[in-house]
Amino acid sequence: MKGGNYGEKMTFNYFYGTEADLFSFYHIPKALFTDSYFKDLSSDAKILYGLMLDRMSLSIKNQWFDDKNRAYIYFSIEDIMELLNCGRNKAIKSMRELDDETGIGLIEKRRQGFGKVNVIYVKTFMPEKTDEKRFDSDNHSEDYQAYENLVKETIDYESLEITHHDDMRQVDEIVNLIVETVMCKNDKILIASNWYPASLVKKKFLMLTYSHIEYVLHCMSGNTTKVKNIKKYLLAALFNAPSTMNGYYQAEVNHDMPGLVR
């Protein structure tokens, strides 16, 4: 018997070239499944919301911001049909569930005219408070605790405590920075010398997962240059993590095993 208790040990192949894209994931906020407010939202609509959040990355690349610096996306019914592998009726139904006029209000459509694809604003899944007392110290503390709990749940803080026990001081700094950024009241947030709409930055930060935090920790440990402004460095690393993580690890594989990469 080979391979311990596994019987005849199998030989697994490497990832080559574009196969590394298998490490790319669509992220759906856990709150859509755990918060009672979203209990009546269908699974298709929740998946669609995750797909739309992922599409937000194109907003940065293509500078799709309106005159109020609000990020928007283009997402046609045909896009939904293709990505959800469904018919037109189901695609329309899923879109209507998310729409602010016909559904729960997680997206807002703006019509551009006959024959043109609608502009879609993807809204945060954390409700905006309108209470006049929202800024007092007690409510601020409650809000902070709520966001901290949400962030810790999303990044799987308990697992990080096990796998990165020696790095928890940095992890706590990262959690605090994420919460601080999400609670920022400014219209824009400065990331690596560039100003971005606060709504876009907050969406990206609330979608960070265990893998992204681990990646940022890995980048920090491998950085041989003295970081003068750790907050600025972390903001940029966290903001870019979803789009740079896969390429970073692939480059390391190419460097460590050049003869095995085609």
Side-chain angles (χ1 to χ4, degrees):
M1 299 291 289
K2 298 181 180 179
N5 297 324
Y6 296 104
E8 188 66 25
K9 187 174 182 179
M10 295 181 63
T11 301
F12 297 97
N13 205 355
Y14 299 97
F15 286 101
Y16 294 103
T18 57
E19 291 176 342
D21 192 48
L22 292 174
F23 288 115
S24 297
F25 301 97
Y26 291 115
H27 299 290
I28 304 175
K30 191 172 182 179
L32 297 191
F33 297 94
T34 59
D35 193 320
S36 60
Y37 182 77
F38 302 109
K39 66 179 181 179
D40 294 327
L41 201 61
S42 71
S43 296
D44 287 327
K46 293 173 182 178
I47 293 172
L48 177 57
Y49 181 70
L51 296 174
M52 288 182 167
L53 283 178
D54 181 77
R55 183 67 63 87
M56 291 287 283
S57 61
L58 282 178
S59 300
I60 304 172
K61 180 179 179 180
N62 297 324
Q63 295 293 296
W64 290 341
F65 308 126
D66 65 12
D67 55 1
K68 296 181 180 179
N69 285 314
R70 297 176 300 185
Y72 59 83
I73 65 172
Y74 295 101
F75 216 106
S76 67
I77 294 298
E78 288 71 25
D79 289 335
I80 301 173
M81 292 170 61
E82 179 179 352
L83 290 170
L84 291 183
N85 190 28
C86 68
R88 177 172 290 273
N89 288 342
K90 179 176 283 190
I92 294 174
K93 179 179 180 295
S94 299
M95 177 80 85
R96 287 176 64 84
E97 283 189 68
L98 298 176
D99 193 79
D100 62 336
E101 295 182 355
T102 58
I104 202 167
L106 285 173
I107 65 171
E108 178 183 332
K109 296 200 300 288
R110 293 288 177 89
R111 294 172 177 81
Q112 296 195 99
F114 182 76
K116 295 183 179 180
V117 179
N118 292 333
V119 163
I120 297 177
Y121 293 94
V122 184
K123 297 185 176 181
T124 177
F125 53 91
M126 294 294 291
E128 181 178 0
K129 296 186 178 180
T130 56
D131 190 339
E132 292 180 358
K133 297 180 180 180
R134 59 189 287 191
F135 296 113
D136 67 30
S137 58
D138 291 338
N139 285 332
H140 180 83
S141 298
E142 290 177 8
D143 288 350
Y144 188 93
Q145 189 63 54
Y147 277 115
E148 184 180 55
N149 291 340
L150 174 64
V151 169
K152 285 185 174 181
E153 185 178 32
T154 305
I155 67 173
D156 197 356
Y157 184 86
E158 292 183 355
S159 293
L160 285 168
E161 285 184 304
I162 297 172
T163 57
H164 293 275
H165 177 74
D166 295 335
D167 300 319
M168 290 313 295
R169 181 177 178 181
Q170 290 180 325
V171 172
D172 287 335
E173 290 178 355
I174 289 172
V175 170
N176 290 336
L177 182 57
I178 293 174
V179 175
E180 176 187 318
T181 303
V182 170
M183 294 185 67
C184 176
K185 305 304 179 184
N186 297 333
D187 294 331
K188 296 181 181 180
I189 295 176
L190 184 63
I191 306 287
S193 301
N194 294 312
W195 289 98
Y196 293 96
S199 58
L200 178 62
V201 177
K202 293 175 184 181
K203 285 185 178 73
K204 293 194 71 170
F205 275 36
L206 286 172
M207 294 295 291
L208 294 171
T209 65
Y210 172 96
S211 297
H212 297 130
I213 304 304
E214 189 173 56
Y215 162 69
V216 171
L217 291 172
H218 188 71
C219 289
M220 292 179 68
S221 65
N223 185 15
T224 58
T225 305
K226 184 178 180 180
V227 179
K228 296 181 179 179
N229 188 329
I230 188 64
K231 181 177 180 179
K232 182 177 180 180
Y233 175 88
L234 282 176
L235 275 174
L238 292 167
F239 183 78
N240 293 314
S243 57
T244 60
M245 180 174 68
N246 294 333
Y248 178 86
Y249 285 130
Q250 183 60 46
E252 285 205 334
V253 171
N254 294 348
H255 178 270
D256 294 339
M257 298 183 291
L260 298 177
V261 179
R262 294 184 298 188

